[in-house]
Amino acid sequence: MTSRPASEKTPEFASILYLDGVSVSFDGFKALNSLSLVIEPGEMRAIIGPNGAGKTTMMDVITGKTRPDEGEVFFKGNIDLTKHDEAYIANLGIGRKFQKPTVFESQTVFNNLELSLKGDKGIMTTLFAALGDADVARIMEVLEIIRLSERANWLAGNLSHGQKQWLEIGMLLMQDPDLLLVDEPVAGMTDAETEQTSDLLRKISENHSVVVVEHDMEFIRALDTKVTVLHEGSVLAEGSLDVVQNNQRVIDVYLGR
Amino acid sequence: MDFSSTKKGPFVSLVTGLPGGGKTFLGILLVAALLVPLSNLLVPESSFFHVPTYMVSLLGKYLSFALLALSVDLIWGYCGILSLGHGAFFALGGYAMGMYLMRQIGDRGVYGNPDLPDFMVFLNWTELPWYWTGFDMFPVAMTMVILVPGILAFIFGWFAFRARVTGVYLSIITQAMTYALMLAFFRNDMGFGGNNGLTDFKEILGFDLQSDGTRLGLFVCSVIALAFGYLISSFITQSKLGRVLIAIRDAESRTRFSGYRVEYYKLFVFVVSAVLAGIAGALYVPQVGIINPSEFSPAQSIEVVIWVAVGGRGTLWGAVLGAMLVNWGKSYFTGALPEAWLYMLGGLFVFTTLFLPKGIVGTSAIWIEKIKNRQTGPASTIPAYVKEE
Amino acid sequence: MRIILKSFLAALAILFMTQAVAVSADLTEASQGLLAKGYKDKTAAVEAVAATGDARSVIILEALLGGKLFIQKSDNVLVIGVKAEGGYKTVNAITGTEIGLTPKSDVKKVRINNKMRGLIKGQLGGLTLLSDDPALRMKAANAVFISRPKEMMAPMQSALASETDPTVVPAMTRALAALELRHGATMADKQAALEILSDLHDPQVKSLLSGELSSLRALQNPTGPEKELIIAVQAGLTKIDEKLDFLNIIENIFQGISLGSVLLLAAIGLAITFGVMGVINMAHGEMVMIGAYTTYVVQELCRNFAPGFLDYALIAAVPLAFIVSGLCGVGIERSVIRYLYGRPLETLLATWGISLILQQFVRTIFGPTNKEVSSPEWLSGTWEVTGGLALTYNRIAIILFAAAVLLMLVLILKKTAFGLQMRAVTQNRQMAASMGIRTGWVDAMTFGLGSGVAGMAGVALSQIDNVSPNLGQAYIIDSFMVVVFGGVGNLWGTLVGALSLGITNKFLEPYTGAVLAKILVLVAIILFIQKRPRGLFALKGRAVES
């Protein structure tokens, strides 16, 4: 039923994601205030900002969960994301990891990945779906990447917090999206796990565009990438972590209040 | 290595249903389908093993309830949609069958009118309303048994699921739906017999409804329908689609962000479930001999939910078991201790939600797992499938 | 009040009798014609009797009309007879003195024809117009309004001139206008009468005017002024219709607000348990039912031990019902619901079970039949606002009661420490707990408050509905509809929801009937929820989603 839009990797777009003047308000509270942001194809971008800066709302807007009151959101140059819903946008090639790790807890790790497999997500296809060898191979490959090969038949609910984070990232990889939106991937992780996660994300960013939202400055530093600071729903500063950290306005926002 | 077994989800069935439970269940059904008629026909009445005809009809009624419970389990246990209005689909299927049976009465009614059912003559109607057309033909009526609940479920679900009405809100509006239908069917103007509903049936497909043979036939039909419903539900829940349904139940927005159109999946399973409920209603009516608007009452629909909860939602044969047990209890206690039955039913609701959240089947599965763990160590932390390289 | 009135009437009656004896000579003379055979004489006699203005004349004429006036052959005296064993029990028609039993052979009925019948009716109307009892004068005026005999014009004019009772004057004015319209000497008179009539708004004037209109239209060759009159009558009719429509709307709104208040009372407790706590309490209806039974018990206790207070039992029942239902609610919360927070569907099932148990419990104690809760004196009766608009006191009381309950709840939520704690626990349980709020206690109290309010609703419902174990079931779905429609977690939403559902229902009813109206409202809500899944006054934003 769902026609999957073509999402071949064609890097000639000027931008993979383009937000211009996006505003969202809830009962008078402006969650996003004329936010503009451009992500280049193949780029990894870290987004930081205090609580309530609008990070999650921004992701909601990009993935079709929240409609902006005004502003433009384009994917790959000309696909207007404000016109589509979550499932359609997911099939366009945008994957999203939630702030709180969200996996299918009563199903096995293997099945979690299987459900996220790229392909036709229509009802009849799903009803009569059978796993091909290529699919199994792909799942094994991702299991390897997210270091859960040994846990393939565990129920996802029995994984540790960090493993659930990885499983969710793995599910994103199964979708093979062009753009990954990753919300707080290292929250609740040990230092070792955090390090492994930054390795994982760097590896992923080699052939995907990635947007990472995180509070952990060490982690951001390890990612070694361009940083955007959000504050009260709009961009406060942009640049390398060092530049941003020395920006007086950023210091005021984080410390001054 | 072989992962084809994961398609059947061995781990899933271990947690939410006993392994092989489905096959055992079908076996029991088959045996019942053979034994009950045999014992009714061949074993002498004086024998302990004789199943009297009234018992055959009673069992047939339980089977139709079991099918209804199965349909509720399919959406609640697997997809997390708690419908408090499934009695409406059951009743609509029942009314479609009832209309056929009404037309079969012909001129044997009290007023002897060959074209109009008694209640219409009583209301001084002169001709059959248009929506009764064709119900004298069995195939048409059976088509309606499937179409009417299916279409209502489609329309209702189309609006509700697209608008993302979920959780208790959905439960409340399904309840409102069946309540509205109940009020409507109580009206004489609707042309479905008002308060009294449809009754005084004579025969089905030319067979006398009172005869032992017909009652046995209806019983066997109920067994077949339940087995058929079980197989369909089983096929759906064991498929990848079944896993998508569970995914929707556990994490709806994750499913959406994984690219599944949740509303269509819900709509699909809701319609399938409504059709099964309609078939159950159509089997219920000839065996009970009456259909009236009280079948639409919200209380009836909630009772169905407790059958499923008692048996164990998310396990198909748990739903069947729950329906059988609770209804057997109801028949027994409303006869033996009529005052106490409502206390017991009420207590059952409270007890099940507090102490048996997974129902009899789910809870016993957990116990069995625990016993196994004592022997082999904690299964939840050791993969059931050990990876081979 | 009633006693005073009765003694006053008795005094009047005595006055009448003495008067009757004084003028009976006149009456005897006037009534002589009735002894004659010819209708002409009798007709003249009827007019003469009426002209005496004697109070006795009314009795005579009524007897004549009813076929109870006889001539006693033996002494040629008019008597009024009532059939009895062995003949007639008779009284002298003129003096009113009792004669006793007269054999059948000794009496002869005074016969009348149709023409006389009409005359007598008119004359009777005229006579009672001058009666000393304002109620009788009112009745007479209204009778004249209906029959409109030409002869009544003069008596009506004089009666109106001497009328002092402010309640009778409008009736007489109306009747006179009706007479003028039909029998008025000039077109100007008719027009003036029409003016008066068009300013009134009651269904009777409407039917009078439409009757007049059709008889005017039936005229073969209407003259110019008659044509004008037709147009004027039409205009008058339109004017009355507009007024009646307006009154109808007012009446519908009142009925709607009344139904809305009932819904509000039933739903407002639910708005707390469902809206504030997120608990689906299917036993909410039973809390209402228990409140109603508390009212019944209080009433019976009063009846047996303090009959003097029976009229005030209802007032005493309000706090008691709150306490009884509230305690039930606290019990339910502590024993069942607290284990089910965060699992709304399970709560729904468990509370449904509780509702079955409570229903059966009440059935076991009080029996399955309806219990009678009587309305106190001060709640019975109606308030006649204006012609064609009457509001019953118990409905008005329910509206006021609902408003008071709503106000009380708003104050508790907004102004008390408990309300603050309640909102804190709703918004962030952990944070509230770490601030030292006993969250378990707040949960229990909140649930108790919601249930207690339901109990108070039960007191009100006992006045308009049957008190039976099924009372709660009848309201539970409507209550959920109100809360869901209004928007969860918002008392004002519940108010608007209840009133709009009530008013919509009452406006639909005249066209569709009560049941279909209810079905349509249900369907409308189901469709509405598709558009606004969170209700009319829903909160938007991220916090709601989680």
Side-chain angles (χ1 to χ4, degrees), chain C residues 153-222:
Chain C
M153 290 213 18
M156 186 57 85
Q157 270 161 346
S158 57
L160 180 58
S162 62
E163 185 57 59
T164 51
D165 190 314
T167 56
V168 184
V169 170
M172 287 194 171
T173 315
R174 187 179 79 150
L176 186 61
L179 286 167
E180 289 275 2
L181 181 62
R182 174 165 288 182
H183 311 291
T186 65
M187 271 302 151
D189 287 346
K190 292 191 176 193
Q191 292 280 12
L194 188 61
E195 202 99 321
I196 293 170
L197 288 174
S198 316
D199 274 339
L200 301 170
H201 44 74
D202 66 53
Q204 282 183 322
V205 175
K206 188 186 164 187
S207 65
L208 176 129
L209 285 190
S210 42
E212 207 66 25
L213 186 64
S214 50
S215 60
L216 278 170
R217 280 199 177 129
L219 289 175
Q220 290 296 332
N221 293 308

Side-chain angles (χ1 to χ4, degrees), chain A residues 155-230:
Chain A
L155 286 189
N158 291 336
L159 295 175
S160 74
H161 188 81
Q163 285 170 329
K164 281 184 193 168
Q165 299 269 38
W166 284 338
L167 175 56
E168 201 177 358
I169 293 171
M171 288 161 77
L172 256 56
L173 291 177
M174 291 303 300
Q175 284 175 255
D176 192 20
D178 299 314
L179 173 66
L180 282 83
L181 306 174
V182 188
D183 204 347
E184 303 201 9
V186 296
M189 280 189 178
T190 62
D191 286 352
E193 284 174 331
T194 304
E195 200 171 308
Q196 286 169 348
T197 307
S198 61
D199 289 347
L200 179 60
L201 283 178
R202 273 205 305 274
K203 196 167 147 198
I204 291 170
S205 74
E206 284 165 13
N207 43 15
H208 299 85
S209 309
V210 182
V211 173
V212 185
V213 167
E214 202 25 279
H215 284 299
D216 186 331
M217 286 304 155
E218 287 308 307
F219 175 75
I220 300 283
R221 189 170 295 285
L223 289 182
D224 185 26
T225 186
K226 190 173 174 185
V227 175
T228 296
V229 186
L230 289 193

Side-chain angles (χ1 to χ4, degrees), chain B residues 146-183:
Chain B
I146 290 169
L147 278 186
V148 173
I151 290 174
L152 176 65
F154 185 85
I155 294 172
F156 185 89
W158 176 262
F159 285 113
F161 299 137
R162 277 166 54 96
R164 300 193 184 174
V165 181
T166 54
V168 293
Y169 291 87
L170 190 83
S171 302
I172 290 171
I173 63 167
T174 51
Q175 193 176 34
M177 173 192 78
T178 195
Y179 184 59
L181 280 169
M182 178 180 78
L183 293 177

Side-chain angles (χ1 to χ4, degrees), chain B residues 321-341:
Chain B
L321 183 74
M324 293 285 192
L325 278 180
V326 178
N327 279 296
W328 174 81
K330 186 176 188 173
S331 301
Y332 178 77
F333 287 110
T334 46
L337 294 162
E339 285 280 302
W341 169 243

Side-chain angles (χ1 to χ4, degrees), chain C residues 364-418:
Chain C
T364 310
I365 292 183
F366 294 96
T369 49
N370 293 343
K371 292 290 172 219
E372 168 79 24
V373 173
S374 50
S375 280
E377 183 101 13
W378 47 273
L379 272 185
S380 50
T382 55
W383 175 36
E384 190 94 20
V385 184
T386 166
L389 184 64
L391 314 177
T392 60
Y393 282 125
N394 62 358
R395 291 278 172 181
I396 296 171
I398 284 182
I399 295 175
L400 296 177
F401 184 61
V405 170
L406 179 71
L407 191 69
M408 181 194 85
L409 272 181
V410 170
L411 287 180
I412 289 179
L413 287 184
K414 302 273 179 209
K415 298 286 178 199
T416 65
F418 169 62

Side-chain angles (χ1 to χ4, degrees), chain B residues 70-100:
Chain B
L70 198 65
S71 75
V72 169
D73 192 24
L74 191 60
I75 52 166
W76 185 38
Y78 290 88
C79 200
I81 303 168
L82 176 56
S83 166
L84 296 183
H86 244 51
F89 303 121
F90 180 81
L92 286 173
Y95 265 95
M97 176 59 105
M99 286 160 80
Y100 163 74

Side-chain angles (χ1 to χ4, degrees), chain A residues 86 106 115 126 153-154 168, chain B residues 164 250 254 260 265 381 385:
Chain A
E86 298 100 314
S106 63
L115 283 173
T126 317
N153 268 316
W154 277 36
E168 201 177 358
Chain B
R164 300 193 184 174
D250 293 345
R254 174 77 266 163
Y260 294 97
Y265 279 83
T381 52
Y385 175 87

Side-chain angles (χ1 to χ4, degrees), chain C residues 163-297:
Chain C
E163 185 57 59
T164 51
D165 190 314
T167 56
V168 184
V169 170
M172 287 194 171
T173 315
R174 187 179 79 150
L176 186 61
L179 286 167
E180 289 275 2
L181 181 62
R182 174 165 288 182
H183 311 291
T186 65
M187 271 302 151
D189 287 346
K190 292 191 176 193
Q191 292 280 12
L194 188 61
E195 202 99 321
I196 293 170
L197 288 174
S198 316
D199 274 339
L200 301 170
H201 44 74
D202 66 53
Q204 282 183 322
V205 175
K206 188 186 164 187
S207 65
L208 176 129
L209 285 190
S210 42
E212 207 66 25
L213 186 64
S214 50
S215 60
L216 278 170
R217 280 199 177 129
L219 289 175
Q220 290 296 332
N221 293 308
T223 58
E226 274 166 350
K227 279 182 190 160
E228 272 174 40
L229 192 62
I230 290 178
I231 294 167
V233 171
Q234 267 170 335
L237 266 176
T238 326
K239 202 171 158 192
I240 291 174
D241 269 340
E242 278 167 6
K243 272 199 196 115
L244 280 179
D245 282 349
F246 178 70
L247 277 183
N248 211 10
I249 289 173
I250 300 269
E251 165 105 33
N252 272 336
I253 290 177
F254 174 74
Q255 294 285 347
I257 292 176
S258 162
L259 178 63
S261 308
V262 171
L263 290 175
L264 178 67
L265 279 171
I268 199 161
L270 199 67
I272 294 178
T273 49
F274 182 30
V276 179
M277 301 175 75
V279 165
I280 308 297
N281 183 15
M282 293 299 271
H284 179 79
E286 277 58 47
M287 299 294 112
V288 176
M289 183 260 290
I290 287 172
Y293 270 94
T294 308
T295 316
Y296 169 73
V297 170

